[in-house]
Amino acid sequence: MMFQYYIKIVPTEFVPLSGPKLHTNQFSVTTHRKSVSLMSGESGMPGIFVNYELSPLMVKFTEKRSSFSHFATNLCAIIGGIFTVSGIVDTLLFTSIHALKRKIELGKAS
């Protein structure tokens, strides 16, 4: 058997609102294995192979508080979206009911 392990290491920094910075790493591991034998036709050397990849980029997570104006803006956007969608639904319902009433008046509805 041939076992291959690919390990990626990404330096990471957490900056909380209170407290010291935390320097750490994130790891991801991918494994592959295959059977190597002359009978099956698979080539390769049997063994365990570990490949490390150190990322040149660092991930930085910064915790921030949103201001009250940011909250108020988001709230207004949500309320405006609700009014817009309800207006579209109201217009579609009014138009379809009005068209249905005209067909009934003309006697074309089945």
Side-chain angles (χ1 to χ4, degrees):
M1 291 292 289
M2 173 189 264
F3 297 96
Q4 294 177 315
Y5 297 95
Y6 298 95
I7 301 172
K8 185 167 187 174
I9 303 169
V10 180
T12 306
E13 179 181 34
F14 292 100
V15 182
L17 283 173
S18 61
K21 291 181 184 179
L22 177 63
H23 297 280
T24 185
N25 294 304
Q26 294 184 57
F27 300 93
S28 65
V29 178
T30 305
T31 63
H32 295 286
R33 71 175 181 186
K34 71 177 181 175
S35 176
V36 290
S37 69
L38 295 174
M39 303 307 265
S40 65
E42 294 287 333
S43 63
M45 182 176 288
I48 298 173
F49 301 94
V50 179
N51 297 317
Y52 289 98
E53 181 183 345
L54 299 173
S55 176
L57 301 177
M58 182 177 91
V59 176
K60 184 176 183 179
F61 293 104
T62 304
E63 193 175 25
K64 294 181 181 178
R65 283 186 204 258
S66 298
S67 64
F68 180 74
S69 62
H70 186 262
F71 170 74
T73 303
N74 284 344
L75 186 63
C76 289
I78 291 170
I79 292 171
I82 290 171
F83 275 110
T84 302
V85 170
S86 63
I88 291 170
V89 170
D90 180 53
T91 302
L92 289 173
L93 285 174
F94 177 78
T95 305
S96 60
I97 290 172
H98 184 66
L100 188 60
K101 280 184 181 180
R102 279 198 354 212
K103 281 187 177 183
I104 290 173
E105 287 174 358
L106 295 174
K108 291 186 179 182
S110 51

